[in-house]
C-alpha cells in the first residue's frame, strides 16, 4: 500500500478524531496512514521522512498551538535550522479553529508557515475549518479531495510509495518535477472547487465560511422542518452518507464491588487539588437578566499557587438528572453500579484501536457517565451514521440519514450543531433508536474541565482563591423541555445554594470547613495575561460583565504593592467596565469605588447598555467600545507614546471584535494613519505582548 505519515496535534480530541477518520478512509482509497500524535516524537522523524506528510492541527486559547504540539513547535522554531531542512517534505495541512477568536486557526498557521520556511512544499492546499459555522463544512470536502492529491503525488513520483529522491524546489533550476508540483497545486485547487459542486453553493476559498451560516438559515427559514422531520427537497433527495464507523470496543459489566469511588482519578489533569468552597456571594440583584456568583475557595492546605491574570480548571460532573435519563433510555438503570471493563474487539476493522484513556478501568457505569464522558457533546455525523443502524423505525432511520448526509448539511447545522443537541436529545426524539453501550464509549469524547479566571490576589487574600461566573441557561433542543443550565455553572450554583449570601455591605461569613462542599481544581498552563513586569507602565483594562474578574485581581495586587512600596513609581490604571443596569448587575461597584478613592485605580469608565439617561442629560456610552472611543486621545497616548499595555477580557463573539474595531479607529484617527497601518500597529502590540486577550465564546 502507498504509505503516508499522518500527524495530529489535539487539545480536546477534535484533531485526533479527524485524523482517525482520515486513517480509516485511507484504506478504502488504497493508502496506508502511519498515524501518530505530534507529541510522540520517538515514533516518527520528519528529518528523514520520505513519505508524504498529512497534518491535522487544532488551536487552543486565543490562538496558541495545542499543548501536544508545544514541543514540536519549539523544535521547528530553532533559529539554527537551515532553510532547506525540510526540502524533502511534501505535505498537506488541515487547521481547526474558531473565527470568533482573533487568531483564527493560528495553531495550524504557525506550523504551516514554519514548514515552508524550512523548505517543505504543499502537495495539497491547506484547509482552515471553522468551528463557528461547523468544522465539517471544510473538513469533509478537504478529506474527500485529499485522495486525488495523494494519488497525483504518488503518480508523479513513479508510484514508489515513498519519495526516494528529493525534487528540486521550483525556485531552483526549472525541471519537469518543479512544473509537476505546480500542476499538482493547481489540480488540488480544482479538486477542492469541484467538490463544492453547484448544488451546495459552498465557498470558493478555504476558511471563508461566514456565508454558510446565512445560506443555511435562508434555506430553512421558509420551511417547517424540525429535528425529527424534513421537508422537500431534502425529504425526497437521494442521500450521500458517511461510512459506518467500525466497532472496536467490547464492553463487560461486572457486579458492583461495593468500594467507594474517588473523584480524584477522573481527570487526566495533573496536579489536581480537592478544595472546599468557603464562601459564595450573589453579586447581582434578583431581577438582573443574568445571575452572577462569586465563589471563594480555601487553598491554604494545598500547594496551589496563582498570580492575578491566571486561570484554572474546575473538574465538574454531568447533571444527575441527565445521567439518570440516559441510563433509563438505555435500559441500564439496574446496572448503574456495575463495573465497566473494556477490551478491543479481536475482529475490529479499526486500525490502531485503543481503549479510551479517559475511561478508567473497573469504575461503575454511573461513575463513567457522570465524570468521564461529555454526554452533552454535539454528536458528529459519524455518530449519527452509527445511530441509523440502531434505529428500527423507517421514518426515524431516514431522518437520521438526512442529518448525517451531505445533502442535509443545513439541517445538521440548524437542528444539531447550532441547537447544541446532545445524545439524550436524539434518543428522546427518536424513540426506536437503541444504541449499545459500546457505541457511546466509542463515540462520546472526554468530559472536559471548565476554565475560570482567578479574581483575587494572593497578596490580599492569602490561602484563598476567588472566581466569578454567570449561571448560564440555554433553551433545550426538545421544545417541551425546561431550559438547560450550564454544565459547570449549574452544578456550582446548586452546591452553594444552601449558604449563598446576598451582596450587601455587611461582612460575609465563611462556611465552616466541616460543612463546606469540596470541588476538584487544577492549574492551567501559565500564560501571559499578567501585569507588566515594569509597574510604571500604564495599563488599560477592558472587561464588561464577568470579564472584570482578572482585573479585580490586578487591582488587589497593585493595592498591596503600593502599600509595600509607598515611594514606588506605579503607572496609571484605566478600567473600562460595562453591564446592563447600574442597579442590577454593576459587579464589584463598591470595591471599584474604593480602588478609585485610594488612587490604585486612576480612571474608571462604566457604560450601562440598558439604562435610559436622565432627562435632559447627554446619553452615556452604551458599550465599553463606545467609552474607549470617547477617550481616544488618552488611549492612543497610553499605547503609542507611553509604552502601555491593554488587556481585554470577556466575550469573543461580539465584544472582543468590537473593541478591536474601536482600537483600529482610535489608532487610525489619533496617529493619522490608514486603517491598514492601524491594524499593523495593533498586530505589533500583540507581538510585543502589550495587547493581550483572555476571551471565550
Amino acid at each position: 500500500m502507498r504509505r503516508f505519515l499522518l500527524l495530529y496535534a489535539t487539545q480536546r480530541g477534535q484533531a485526533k478524531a479527524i485524523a482517525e477518520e482520515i486513517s480509516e478512509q485511507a484504506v478504502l482509497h488504497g493508502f496506508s496512514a502511519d498515524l501518530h500524535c505530534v507529541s510522540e516524537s520517538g515514533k516518527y522523524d520528519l528529518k528523514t521522512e520520505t513519505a508524504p506528510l498529512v497534518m491535522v492541527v487544532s488551536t487552543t486559547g486565543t490562538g496558541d498551538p495545542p499543548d501536544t504540539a508545544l514541543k514540536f513547535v519549539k523544535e521547528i522554531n530553532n533559529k539554527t535550522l537551515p532553510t532547506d531542512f525540510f526540502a524533502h517534505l511534501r505535505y498537506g495541512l488541515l487547521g481547526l479553529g474558531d473565527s470568533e477568536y482573533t487568531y483564527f486557526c493560528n495553531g495550524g498557521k504557525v506550523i504551516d508557515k514554519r514548514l515552508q520556511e524550512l523548505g517543505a512544499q504543499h502537495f495539497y492546499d491547506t484547509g482552515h475549518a471553522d468551528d463557528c459555522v461547523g468544522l465539517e463544512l471544510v473538513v469533509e470536502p478537504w478529506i474527500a479531495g485529499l485522495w486525488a492529491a495523494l494519488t497525483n503525488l504518488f503518480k508523479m513520483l513513479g508510484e514508489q510509495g515513498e519519495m526516494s529522491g528529493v525534487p528540486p524546489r521550483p525556485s531552483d533550476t526549472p525541471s519537469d518535477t518543479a512544473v509537476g508540483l505546480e500542476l499538482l497545486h493547481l489540480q488540488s485547487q480544482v479538486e477542492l472547487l469541484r467538490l463544492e459542486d453547484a448544488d451546495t453553493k459552498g465557498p470558493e476559498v478555504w476558511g471563508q465560511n461566514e456565508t454558510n451560516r446565512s445560506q443555511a438559515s435562508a434555506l430553512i427559514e421558509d420551511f417547517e422542518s424540525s429535528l425529527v422531520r424534513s421537508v422537500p427537497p431534502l425529504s425526497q433527495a437521494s442521500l450521500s452518507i458517511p461510512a459506518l464507523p467500525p466497532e472496536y470496543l467490547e464492553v463487560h459489566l461486572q457486579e458492583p464491588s461495593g468500594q467507594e469511588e474517588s473523584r480524584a482519578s477522573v481527570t487526566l489533569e495533573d496536579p489536581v487539588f480537592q478544595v472546599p468552597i468557603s464562601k459564595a456571594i450573589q453579586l447581582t440583584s434578583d431581577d438582573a437578566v443574568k445571575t452572577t456568583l462569586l465563589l471563594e475557595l480555601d487553598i491554604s492546605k494545598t500547594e496551589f499557587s496563582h498570580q492575578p491574570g491566571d486561570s484554572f480548571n474546575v473538574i465538574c460532573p454531568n447533571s444527575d438528572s441527565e445521567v439518570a435519563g440516559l441510563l433509563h433510555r438505555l435500559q441500564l438503570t439496574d446496572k448503574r453500579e456495575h463495573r465497566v471493563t473494556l477490551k478491543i474487539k479481536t475482529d475490529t476493522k479499526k486500525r490502531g484501536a485503543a481503549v479510551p484513556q479517559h475511561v478508567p478501568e473497573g469504575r461503575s457505569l454511573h461513575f463513567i457517565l457522570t465524570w468521564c464522558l461529555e454526554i452533552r457533546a454535539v454528536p458528529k455525523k459519524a455518530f449519527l451514521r452509527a445511530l441509523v443502524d440502531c434505529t428500527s423505525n423507517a421514518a426515524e432511520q431516514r431522518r437520521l440519514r438526512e442529518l448525517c448526509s451531505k445533502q442535509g448539511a443545513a439541517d445538521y447545522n440548524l437542528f444539531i450543531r447550532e441547537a447544541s443537541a446532545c445524545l439524550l436529545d436524539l434518543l428522546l426524539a427518536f424513540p426506536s433508536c437503541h444504541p449499545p453501550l459500546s457505541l457511546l464509549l466509542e463515540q462520546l469524547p472526554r468530559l472536559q474541565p471548565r476554565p475560570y479566571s482567578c479574581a483575587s490576589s494572593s497578596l490580599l487574600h492569602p490561602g484563598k482563591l476567588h472566581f466569578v461566573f454567570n449561571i448560564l441557561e440555554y433553551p433545550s433542543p426538545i421544545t417541551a423541555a425546561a431550559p438547560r443550565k450550564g454544565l459547570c455553572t449549574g452544578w456550582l450554583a446548586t452546591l452553594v445554594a444552601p449558604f449563598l449570601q446576598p451582596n450587601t455591605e455587611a461582612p460575609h461569613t465563611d462556611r465552616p470547613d466541616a460543612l463546606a462542599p469540596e470541588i476538584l481544581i487544577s492549574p492551567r498552563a501559565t500564560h501571559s495575561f499578567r501585569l507588566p513586569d515594569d509597574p510604571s507602565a500604564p495599563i488599560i483594562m477592558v472587561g464588561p460583565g464577568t470579564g472584570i474578574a482578572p482585573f479585580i485581581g490586578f487591582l488587589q495586587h497593585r493595592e498591596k504593592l503600593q502599600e509595600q512600596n509607598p515611594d514606588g513609581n506605579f503607572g496609571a490604571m484605566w478600567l473600562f467596565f460595562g453591564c446592563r443596569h447600574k442597579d442590577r448587575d454593576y459587579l464589584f461597584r463598591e470595591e471599584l469605588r474604593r480602588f478609585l478613592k485610594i488612587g490604585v485605580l486612576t480612571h474608571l469608565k462604566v457604560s450601562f447598555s440598558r439604562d435610559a439617561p436622565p432627562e435632559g442629560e447627554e446619553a452615556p456610552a452604551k458599550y465599553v467600545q463606545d467609552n474607549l472611543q470617547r477617550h481616544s486621545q488618552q488611549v492612543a497616548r497610553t499605547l503609542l507614546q507611553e509604552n502601555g499595555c491593554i488587556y481585554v477580557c470577556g466575550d469573543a463573539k461580539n465584544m472582543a471584535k468590537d473593541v478591536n474595531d474601536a482600537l483600529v479607529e482610535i489608532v487610525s484617527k489619533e496617529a493619522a494613519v490608514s486603517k491598514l497601518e492601524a491594524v499593523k500597529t495593533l498586530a505589533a502590540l500583540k507581538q510585543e505582548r502589550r495587547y493581550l486577550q483572555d476571551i471565550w465564546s
Side-chain angles (χ1 to χ4, degrees):
M1 272 194 174
R2 298 166 293 180
R3 172 187 168 273
F4 65 93
L5 177 62
L6 176 55
L7 300 179
Y8 62 87
T10 192
Q11 186 72 24
R12 300 184 59 173
Q14 293 263 47
K16 180 182 180 184
I18 291 167
E20 287 175 341
E21 173 66 17
I22 292 172
S23 178
E24 300 291 346
Q25 289 194 30
V27 179
L28 304 175
H29 292 274
F31 296 99
S32 171
D34 191 4
L35 176 65
H36 302 291
C37 179
V38 75
S39 62
E40 298 174 315
S41 53
K43 297 182 179 179
Y44 67 91
D45 186 356
L46 292 188
K47 191 166 61 174
T48 59
E49 183 58 70
T50 56
L53 168 66
V54 175
M55 295 193 76
V56 184
V57 182
S58 66
T59 299
T60 190
T62 54
D64 301 319
D67 293 345
T68 53
L70 292 178
K71 183 182 176 186
F72 176 81
V73 170
K74 184 178 179 182
E75 287 173 352
I76 64 174
N77 277 332
N78 184 337
K79 300 299 181 191
T80 65
L81 295 178
T83 54
D84 62 350
F85 188 73
F86 286 142
H88 58 287
L89 274 184
R90 302 293 174 263
Y91 77 99
L93 187 144
L94 175 62
L96 312 180
D98 187 329
S99 61
E100 289 184 350
Y101 292 84
T102 307
Y103 297 110
F104 172 59
C105 279
N106 199 53
K109 289 175 180 176
V110 164
I111 292 174
D112 197 10
K113 180 172 181 281
R114 186 57 179 155
L115 288 178
Q116 291 184 71
E117 288 172 352
L118 295 175
Q121 296 178 63
H122 287 133
F123 75 84
Y124 186 42
D125 285 353
T126 297
H128 295 138
D130 186 0
D131 203 25
C132 179
V133 296
L135 293 174
E136 69 282 349
L137 292 176
V138 167
V139 170
E140 290 176 6
W142 192 90
I143 294 175
L146 174 64
W147 314 120
L150 277 170
T151 299
N152 288 336
L153 179 62
F154 279 113
K155 218 177 264 183
M156 191 187 74
L157 296 167
E159 285 289 339
Q160 298 172 7
E162 291 190 345
M163 295 182 280
S164 53
V166 179
R169 293 179 58 74
S171 56
D172 296 339
T173 54
S175 70
D176 290 343
T177 308
V179 173
L181 283 169
E182 287 300 313
L183 285 172
L184 186 57
H185 173 75
L186 290 173
Q187 284 173 342
S188 69
Q189 285 187 317
V190 170
E191 183 66 28
L192 292 174
L193 292 175
R194 185 184 296 123
L195 285 159
E196 295 294 332
D197 53 28
D199 67 333
T200 60
K201 295 186 172 65
E204 293 187 353
V205 181
W206 292 112
Q208 307 303 309
N209 294 312
E210 283 300 319
T211 57
N212 282 276
R213 189 198 297 269
S214 58
Q215 286 176 356
S217 299
L219 191 66
I220 294 297
E221 64 182 357
D222 296 328
F223 296 167
E224 294 179 359
S225 51
S226 67
L227 176 62
V228 296
R229 186 167 66 90
S230 63
V231 295
L234 179 58
S235 61
Q236 298 166 351
S238 297
L239 301 176
S240 171
I241 64 173
L244 183 67
E247 300 172 12
Y248 67 93
L249 285 181
E250 197 174 286
V251 181
H252 296 279
L253 295 177
Q254 299 175 329
E255 290 293 330
S257 63
Q259 295 178 345
E260 189 176 344
E261 297 182 294
S262 165
R263 291 177 296 164
S265 62
V266 302
T267 178
L268 303 177
E269 313 299 313
D270 186 46
V272 173
F273 302 98
Q274 188 161 323
V275 296
I277 303 173
S278 51
K279 192 182 294 180
I281 303 166
Q282 182 172 317
L283 299 179
T284 48
S285 65
D286 290 337
D287 58 350
V289 174
K290 294 180 179 178
T291 300
T292 306
L293 305 187
L294 177 146
L295 267 54
E296 179 183 84
L297 305 178
D298 184 348
I299 57 172
S300 59
K301 296 175 183 175
T302 73
E303 295 179 4
F304 185 95
S305 63
H306 65 98
Q307 289 191 37
D310 286 352
S311 55
F312 66 99
N313 288 319
V314 172
I315 296 151
C316 63
N318 288 307
S319 154
D320 283 342
S321 62
E322 289 172 38
V323 171
L326 197 53
L327 285 167
H328 176 74
R329 184 60 183 74
L330 296 170
Q331 298 178 338
L332 289 170
T333 302
D334 59 336
K335 291 185 169 59
R336 64 195 301 277
E337 298 303 333
H338 280 53
R339 289 181 296 125
V340 177
T341 57
L342 302 179
K343 287 197 295 190
I344 301 300
K345 279 178 171 279
T346 53
D347 59 348
T348 183
K349 294 188 173 118
K350 182 177 174 66
R351 298 180 72 245
V355 171
Q357 284 186 310
H358 55 273
V359 181
E361 180 73 17
R363 291 311 186 92
S364 72
L365 176 57
H366 181 263
F367 183 91
I368 288 169
L369 291 178
T370 301
W371 291 98
C372 305
L373 300 177
E374 190 92 52
I375 64 174
R376 278 196 190 176
V378 173
K380 292 187 169 55
K381 290 187 177 181
F383 196 177
L384 295 182
R385 171 64 188 87
L387 292 176
V388 170
D389 286 18
C390 306
T391 304
S392 57
N393 178 277
E396 292 178 11
Q397 261 196 359
R398 166 70 193 193
R399 185 53 176 154
L400 287 169
R401 282 175 175 272
E402 290 170 352
L403 290 168
C404 71
S405 70
K406 181 180 178 182
Q407 294 75 13
D411 275 25
Y412 175 84
N413 280 338
L414 191 61
F415 300 119
I416 302 288
R417 194 182 61 78
E418 291 178 12
S420 296
C422 64
L423 174 63
L424 184 56
D425 295 323
L426 293 178
L427 294 181
L428 293 174
F430 299 95
S432 77
C433 182
H434 295 283
L437 178 59
S438 57
L439 181 61
L440 275 63
L441 297 172
E442 289 167 355
Q443 295 292 334
L444 288 173
R446 171 195 169 205
L447 179 56
Q448 295 287 340
R450 272 39 179 182
Y452 293 92
S453 298
C454 301
S456 58
S457 165
S458 56
L459 293 183
L460 187 65
H461 297 285
K464 306 291 184 183
L465 171 61
H466 294 180
F467 68 106
V468 177
F469 59 88
N470 292 326
I471 304 174
L472 302 177
E473 281 199 351
Y474 311 95
S476 171
I478 307 297
T479 313
R484 186 173 282 163
K485 281 189 164 57
L487 187 69
C488 192
T489 62
W491 172 64
L492 290 171
T494 302
L495 274 183
V496 303
F499 58 100
L500 182 64
Q501 302 173 67
N503 188 26
T504 62
E505 296 302 311
H508 298 100
T509 57
D510 287 4
R511 181 79 165 170
D513 277 353
L515 302 174
E518 294 188 335
I519 64 172
L520 297 175
I521 64 170
S522 66
R524 300 189 82 210
T526 302
H527 58 73
S528 59
F529 201 82
R530 287 180 170 176
L531 285 164
D533 293 333
D534 178 7
S536 67
I539 68 170
I540 297 169
M541 302 170 285
V542 183
T546 56
I548 195 174
F551 304 136
I552 295 298
F554 280 11
L555 291 164
Q556 291 177 357
H557 204 70
R558 178 62 67 84
E559 178 184 2
K560 296 305 287 185
L561 289 179
Q562 289 186 196
E563 283 178 11
Q564 295 166 5
N565 303 278
D567 299 323
N569 181 16
F570 295 96
M573 296 186 85
W574 289 73
L575 174 63
F576 291 85
F577 174 70
C579 60
R580 288 179 174 83
H581 300 282
K582 182 177 182 179
D583 297 326
R584 300 184 198 176
D585 54 1
Y586 186 167
L587 309 182
F588 299 102
R589 175 166 55 184
E590 298 310 316
E591 193 165 356
L592 291 175
R593 287 175 175 172
R594 187 181 68 80
F595 284 131
L596 196 62
K597 185 176 180 180
I598 63 177
V600 170
L601 184 57
T602 322
H603 305 279
L604 174 61
K605 306 299 175 185
V606 185
S607 48
F608 306 105
S609 62
R610 301 294 188 272
D611 282 345
E615 196 171 339
E617 291 188 20
E618 180 193 2
K622 194 171 185 181
Y623 300 110
V624 286
Q625 61 268 25
D626 302 329
N627 247 334
L628 283 167
Q629 295 268 27
R630 291 192 179 191
H631 299 85
S632 63
Q633 286 186 351
Q634 298 96 317
V635 169
R637 184 172 64 245
T638 300
L639 297 177
L640 305 180
Q641 297 173 27
E642 299 174 356
N643 207 38
C645 302
I646 183 164
Y647 299 82
V648 180
C649 183
D651 165 48
K653 188 173 184 178
N654 299 307
M655 183 277 297
K657 286 183 178 178
D658 292 341
V659 166
N660 190 75
D661 290 346
L663 292 173
V664 170
E665 295 277 352
I666 288 167
V667 171
S668 176
K669 173 186 165 188
E670 302 300 337
V673 297
S674 68
K675 293 277 180 68
L676 180 59
E677 283 303 312
V679 168
K680 289 179 179 177
T681 299
L682 292 176
L685 290 179
K686 287 177 178 176
Q687 286 292 112
E688 296 167 20
R689 298 290 183 182
R690 292 201 293 121
Y691 177 4
L692 297 160
Q693 295 176 309
D694 181 6
I695 56 179
W696 56 83
S697 57

